[in-house]
């Protein structure tokens, strides 16, 4: 395995980047942070050099062990399979499936509908960006609240932190940005509160990133 220090290409407010930062912190992986500003000059993700790293022109990207990896869930699963420390997937197959279920509910069912590319396209029309983001997050959170009622302990699935939790925290941050009333979701709020106390979550927080507010 390469001894080179991993490089994370990230944008401070990107929820997908936030997921990976949480996983890196949980695994205790030291890395170099390289900011990719998604807004300035039309977005640095569209630069030719960055397109060679990430063909989708998105963040995050992680250069690790001599490879360039993209897509947050794939990156986190690679970290799970190659790095010691906190296990982010349960050994029990049912619990593992539940972790993946919650992760994909957020990763596929909520976040893509309110990510920057979609919102920028909506800006060309008559739909309110805030209303659009609020609608899809609220809809997804109603499903997530019902799901957590049968899976959650301290965290999303039982009392062990997992990939699902790496996904939940950034999505709650997004919900607050879109003025979703979190009082409607006591189950999500309870898990989020527990997670917000975890040192790895605090370390990965967007406000602590070198490009915050850019």
């Amino acid at each position: 395995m390469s001894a080179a220090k991993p490089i994370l290409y990230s944008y401070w407010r990107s929820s997908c980047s936030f997921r990976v930062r949480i996983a890196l912190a949980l695994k205790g992986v030291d890395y170099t942070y390289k900011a990719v500003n998604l807004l300035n000059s039309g977005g640095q993700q569209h630069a030719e050099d960055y397109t060679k790293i990430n063909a989708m022109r998105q963040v995050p990207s992680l250069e690790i062990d001599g490879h360039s990896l993209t897509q947050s869930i794939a990156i986190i699963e690679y970290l799970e399979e190659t790095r010691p420390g906190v296990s982010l997937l349960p050994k029990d197959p049912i619990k593992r499936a539940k972790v993946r279920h919650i992760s994909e509910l957020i990763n596929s069912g909520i976040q893509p509908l309110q990510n920057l590319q979609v919102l920028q396209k909506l800006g060309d029309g008559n739909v309110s960006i805030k209303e659009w983001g609020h609608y899809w997050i609220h809809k997804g959170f109603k499903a997530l609240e019902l799901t957590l009622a049968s899976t959650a302990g301290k965290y999303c699935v039982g009392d062990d932190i997992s990939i699902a939790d790496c996904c939940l925290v950034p999505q709650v941050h997004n919900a607050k940005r879109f003025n979703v009333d979190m009082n409607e979701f006591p189950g999500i709020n309870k898990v989020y509160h527990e997670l917000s106390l975890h040192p790895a979550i605090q370390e990965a927080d967007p406000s602590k990133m070198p490009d915050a507010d850019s």
Side-chain angles (χ1 to χ4, degrees):
M1 201 173 284
S2 172
K5 193 174 182 180
I7 300 172
L8 176 67
Y9 296 85
S10 172
Y11 180 57
W12 70 283
R13 206 163 64 178
S14 158
S15 57
C16 294
S17 297
F18 192 1
R19 296 172 192 167
V20 173
R21 295 198 305 267
I22 292 170
L24 287 164
L26 286 167
K27 290 289 188 179
V29 177
D30 187 26
Y31 63 93
T32 298
Y33 185 101
K34 286 198 175 181
V36 179
N37 193 302
L38 303 183
L39 300 175
N40 285 358
S41 304
Q44 294 174 348
Q45 71 274 25
H46 300 297
E48 183 178 350
D49 286 349
Y50 186 70
T51 304
K52 294 175 183 177
I53 297 169
N54 190 317
M56 283 292 287
R57 303 178 182 185
Q58 297 173 337
V59 290
S61 302
L62 183 68
E63 292 186 343
I64 188 170
D65 301 335
H67 303 281
S68 292
L69 304 179
T70 65
Q71 300 301 323
S72 62
I73 301 298
I75 292 171
I76 295 171
E77 291 217 11
Y78 179 80
L79 293 172
E80 171 66 6
E81 292 166 0
T82 63
R83 295 306 189 268
V86 175
S87 179
L88 300 177
L89 281 170
K91 292 181 179 179
D92 178 79
I94 292 297
K95 287 185 177 181
R96 186 178 288 243
K98 289 178 179 179
V99 165
R100 287 185 165 132
H101 166 194
I102 293 168
S103 300
E104 286 305 321
L105 190 159
I106 296 168
N107 182 57
S108 301
I110 303 176
Q111 192 275 336
L113 292 160
Q114 50 88 127
N115 73 4
L116 180 63
Q117 291 181 97
V118 172
L119 297 179
Q120 287 176 329
K121 194 67 177 176
L122 282 171
D124 297 336
N126 297 319
V127 180
S128 163
I129 288 174
K130 282 286 187 183
E131 289 176 356
W132 173 273
H134 181 282
Y135 173 82
W136 289 110
I137 296 171
H138 187 271
K139 183 177 187 293
F141 270 20
K142 287 195 288 186
L144 181 57
E145 181 77 9
L146 290 172
T147 301
L148 293 181
S150 63
T151 66
K154 185 177 180 180
Y155 300 126
C156 283
V157 179
D159 295 330
D160 295 318
I161 203 163
S162 70
I163 295 175
D165 301 293
C166 295
C167 294
L168 182 135
V169 171
Q171 194 58 55
V172 172
H173 278 234
N174 284 347
K176 292 179 178 180
R177 284 178 54 214
F178 285 95
N179 300 321
V180 173
D181 182 2
M182 290 305 300
N183 290 321
E184 294 183 41
F185 306 107
I188 296 174
N189 258 342
K190 180 178 179 293
V191 173
Y192 175 76
H193 174 71
E194 289 290 346
L195 287 164
S196 69
L197 302 175
H198 197 291
I201 307 295
Q202 295 173 359
E203 179 183 331
D205 190 89
S207 66
K208 296 183 178 178
M209 296 304 105
D211 57 333
D213 296 320
S214 63

